[in-house]
Amino acid sequence: MLAAAACLAVLSLADAAAGLAWDSGPVARLAMDMSGARDGDGGVRIHVIALAVLLCLCATLPVALPRPAVAALTVTAADAATLGFFHTATFAGLAAQLVAAYRAGRHGAHLAALVIGLPFPVLALAGPATAEFRVRAVLLAALVPAAALAGAARRARAEALESSTVRQAMAGTLLENTARGERARIARELHDVVAHHISMIAVQAETARLATPGMPDAGAKRLLDIGDTARAALTEMRRLLGVLREDTRRPEARAAERRPQPGLVQLLDLLDEARDVSGTAARLIVQGPPDPLDPGVELAAYRIVQESLTNARRHAPGAAVDVELHYTGVALRVRGRDNGPGGPASPASGGHGLLGMRERATAVGGEVRAGPAAGGGYLVEASLPTGTGPGTGRPAAPEGPR
């Protein structure tokens, strides 16, 4: 913009110089009128030339100013003064005036765009009746508001396009969130209901094959096939759940996945949370010197305790819970016992329950048993190998499933 303003200034000065060199030009006429003689007074002529140069510069160079309103007002004042003093205006000054008016409208300087259009109709009506003056004044009176309106229209179109883009982005985000929520719902349904039933089919088929005495080989083969098919279906479903969950993960979920997995150090926080939620007592009892554990074993123990607390809160509300960690040197025994009624509870509550605890314990080479405890309440006991010695030790079997 600065280069364009400099070019306009040079053209305006060249136009004014040509008018000064021509004796009948407006600048020369003004100099002669002010000196009172045709030859003119040298001092007056110099002042007139200096005024013409100053007005030419003020009518063009301010176009490069960063504030469109200031630029438009400065250029308008210079052009109005040029018309008032010399009864003419350079073509470069006319072009600079239109550019300044367009910029004022384009950048939302509405007051400045209104003000710069006022002087030229007044000058066109009140100025001399010469053809040169009338043509330039009428052109400015007509074209300056048109340029300002063109700039305002361009700004309005740009704002409308930006608003439309924002609306489309919001609609796309809403659609994506809706689809993500639906996929998450489907994943929950598959995990909590279908996957559990398929795993139960596999377990029951295997149990029936092993526990039914005198079963023919064909029947045992059929049950074995049923179990294998159910396990294969469960594997495929887990694969599908992985795809669905990958699609539904939000940035905050991905950030949560990058956090360290909880371990036994976080058990106190877990118990504090259980107390806050249920308003009942929850104690942690540690026996034996703590052994360094594999992170997988610590995670399994943490999740088993977490599920035990959830199970107690859901099926024995108000019951106190004791959590015990017993380091035996070869295994970590985890016990969670509440003093509730010890009645039966679904092992698939919420899609987790006892089945999830058993899976976690099996994954690290341990086992879990659960059922009503002797003397009342419900007991969950897990034995997880520490890897510091041979054998793992097994928990005593409670009386029955919950």
Side-chain angles (χ1 to χ4, degrees):
M1 183 60 72
L2 182 59
C7 290
L8 289 174
V10 171
L11 293 175
S12 180
L13 290 174
D15 193 356
L20 181 63
W22 182 32
D23 288 341
S24 61
V27 178
R29 288 199 304 269
L30 180 61
M32 288 185 292
D33 290 343
M34 293 180 66
S35 63
R38 181 167 181 80
D39 293 336
D41 180 66
V44 173
R45 188 177 181 88
I46 291 175
H47 290 137
V48 172
I49 293 173
L51 178 61
V53 171
L54 178 62
L55 290 177
C56 286
L57 295 178
C58 291
T60 51
L61 288 179
V63 172
L65 291 176
R67 299 181 63 180
V70 175
L73 293 174
T74 305
V75 171
T76 300
D79 280 334
T82 302
L83 284 174
F85 278 110
F86 300 108
H87 301 161
T88 187
T90 63
F91 288 104
L94 295 177
Q97 179 68 65
L98 297 181
V99 172
Y102 177 83
R103 287 188 66 209
R106 178 70 177 83
H107 291 84
H110 302 301
L111 181 60
L114 177 64
V115 170
I116 62 177
L118 298 178
F120 303 113
V122 176
L123 288 171
L125 295 175
T130 61
E132 183 180 3
F133 175 83
R134 287 292 175 86
V135 168
R136 285 169 169 74
V138 170
L139 281 176
L140 287 172
L143 295 180
V144 168
L149 286 175
R154 177 69 181 276
R155 177 184 176 86
R157 284 196 300 270
E159 290 177 347
L161 180 61
E162 182 180 358
S163 177
S164 176
T165 303
V166 170
R167 285 198 301 270
Q168 290 177 1
M170 291 180 63
T173 302
L174 180 60
L175 182 61
E176 181 183 352
N177 288 339
T178 302
R180 183 185 291 118
E182 184 63 18
R183 288 194 294 269
R185 187 188 66 80
I186 294 172
R188 285 195 301 269
E189 292 293 332
L190 289 174
H191 179 271
D192 293 350
V193 180
V194 182
H196 169 66
H197 288 313
I198 293 177
S199 64
M200 291 303 296
I201 291 172
V203 171
Q204 290 174 3
E206 188 69 18
T207 302
R209 184 176 68 85
L210 298 176
T212 304
M215 175 175 289
D217 293 342
K221 177 74 166 52
R222 291 289 180 86
L223 289 175
L224 182 61
D225 292 341
I226 291 173
D228 292 341
T229 303
R231 281 187 287 272
L234 195 58
T235 300
E236 292 300 323
M237 180 168 293
R238 284 171 178 164
R239 229 175 252 143
L240 175 61
L241 287 175
V243 174
L244 288 173
R245 285 167 177 165
E246 182 69 25
D247 289 342
T248 58
R249 284 187 300 180
R250 298 177 181 270
E252 56 268 25
R254 291 195 291 270
E257 288 178 358
R258 291 193 290 269
R259 296 173 188 164
Q261 292 283 7
L264 297 181
V265 176
Q266 285 78 29
L267 276 184
L268 290 176
D269 295 333
L270 184 63
L271 292 174
D272 289 339
E273 181 182 353
R275 295 187 196 100
D276 294 338
V277 171
S278 62
T280 57
R283 296 188 303 173
L284 176 62
I285 304 170
V286 180
Q287 300 180 24
D291 296 323
L293 301 178
D294 184 82
V297 175
E298 287 206 21
L299 177 61
Y302 179 91
R303 294 302 186 197
I304 289 170
V305 172
Q306 185 180 41
E307 183 57 37
S308 299
L309 294 173
T310 302
N311 195 46
R313 185 168 61 248
R314 188 174 297 164
H315 303 291
V321 181
D322 286 340
V323 176
E324 299 181 23
L325 300 180
H326 183 195
Y327 293 91
T328 66
V330 294
L332 171 66
R333 294 181 182 272
V334 181
R335 291 166 56 94
R337 177 171 178 171
D338 64 64
N339 61 359
S346 170
S349 303
H352 298 286
L354 303 182
L355 180 61
M357 288 192 285
R358 289 191 180 105
E359 289 177 347
R360 289 188 179 277
T362 303
V364 295
E367 65 177 10
V368 171
R369 295 185 183 179
Y378 193 82
L379 175 65
V380 175
E381 188 175 13
S383 178
L384 307 176
T386 61
T388 58
T392 59
R394 293 182 177 272
E399 286 112 358
R402 186 176 197 171

